[in-house]
Amino acid sequence: MSNLRKYKALYLISLPGIIYFIVFKYLPLLGSVMAFQNYNIFRGFTGSPWVGLDQFRRMFTYPEFLRILENTVLIGLYDLIFAFPVPIIFALLLNELRKVVYKRILQTVVYLPHFLSWVIIGGIMIGILSPTTGIVNQVLNAFGLKSIYFLGEDSYIRSILVGTGIWKDSGWGTIVYLAALASVNPELYEAARIDGASRWRQTLSITIPAILPTITIMFLLHIGNFLDFGFERVFVFVNSLNESKGDILDTYIYRVGLIDQQYSYTTAIGLFKSVVGLVLVMIGNTLSKRSSGEGLY
């Protein structure tokens, strides 16, 4: 009680956030019971019959679900390999700029796409990749190459999804790493310069080890959302021509759950995603603590 009285202002400030998580994060978890029912919207939770694990068995016996799970895993893996390092690299490059004006201008330019919705981003990219008026195909035509219908072929959709995400969010992601870089003691660089260390050696020996705990935390948060690639991000690009390799669990849940009204089945898929994310975070956190001593908890 003494701590409660001492820090009452802090507890009062945190109260809206606590209420938000209770109302929008924890209370909806009660709806997960639908995954074990043949849910009927008119009977509700209490009147719908229980079916146990039938929805999960159905999930793993559907060829369509297995194909979409493969798409989700591959796109998530590509995003982890190609998109996750970009904010780190960009933060390291920005940290090397000595002209403050150039640094601020560049930061502003790369941050701006984050504030655009995926509908706007999708419209911009569709225009850029258009087979008739898109600038990419105009460049190809200038070199005597044929136009490519990028969104009409399933071989390009995964690259488009990952690449667009890098363009939109990598600049915003650098904020965390720049904040971590700001806490590095400048005397370490001065001592390294006296010892004759180059800028590259200083980066390897001082900068990267200093932000490694931050990289670890961000990596664990990233793998926690491994199967949660984002509905809006994919929905604006996927169509009937590329959905064989672009359809993911989020768009599948929307189509089957909301449109086809198979609530119990898609709730089971959502619960499966959550459990996989939890397991990945726990495994990653354990390995991280054993190797570097850093972790989420």
Side-chain angles (χ1 to χ4, degrees), residues 56-155:
F56 294 93
R57 296 190 188 97
R58 173 188 174 192
M59 182 171 65
F60 287 106
T61 55
Y62 266 28
E64 184 182 21
F65 171 78
L66 297 177
R67 174 183 61 82
I68 292 171
L69 178 61
E70 179 186 0
N71 289 341
T72 309
V73 170
L74 288 176
I75 293 175
L77 188 62
Y78 296 156
D79 189 63
L80 184 65
I81 294 173
F82 297 106
F84 178 76
V86 171
I88 303 171
I89 296 171
F90 193 70
L92 293 174
L93 293 175
L94 281 178
N95 191 55
E96 295 299 317
L97 287 178
R98 294 294 174 260
K99 294 288 185 178
V100 178
V101 176
Y102 296 153
K103 186 175 182 179
R104 290 178 178 176
I105 292 174
L106 192 57
Q107 283 178 324
T108 303
V109 170
V110 297
Y111 290 168
L112 285 178
H114 174 78
F115 298 99
L116 302 177
S117 70
W118 275 110
V119 175
I120 297 175
I121 293 293
I124 293 173
M125 291 305 299
I126 290 171
I128 292 174
L129 300 176
S130 170
T132 54
T133 60
I135 187 172
V136 175
N137 279 303
Q138 289 182 3
V139 172
L140 292 177
N141 293 337
F143 285 95
L145 301 174
K146 294 182 179 180
S147 297
I148 301 174
Y149 189 8
F150 289 99
L151 293 175
E153 299 182 24
D154 57 13
S155 58

Side-chain angles (χ1 to χ4, degrees), residues 2 22 118 163 192 199 243 252:
S2 60
I22 291 175
W118 275 110
R199 293 301 302 175
E243 67 176 4
Y252 182 64

Side-chain angles (χ1 to χ4, degrees), residues 86-88 90-91 94 110-111 169-179:
V86 171
I88 303 171
F90 193 70
L94 281 178
V110 297
Y111 290 168
D169 293 326
S170 61
W172 180 258
T174 58
I175 292 177
V176 177
Y177 299 108
L178 285 174

Side-chain angles (χ1 to χ4, degrees), residues 28-41 44-46 48-56 58 257-258 261-269 271:
L29 290 176
L30 299 176
S32 299
V33 71
M34 285 194 295
F36 307 96
Q37 295 178 321
N38 187 9
Y39 181 74
N40 187 300
I41 191 172
F45 297 121
T46 57
S48 299
W50 290 86
V51 295
L53 299 176
D54 285 357
Q55 302 295 347
F56 294 93
R58 173 188 174 192
L258 295 180
Q261 301 178 1
Q262 300 183 42
Y263 303 115
S264 293
Y265 175 53
T266 49
T267 301
I269 297 175
L271 190 59

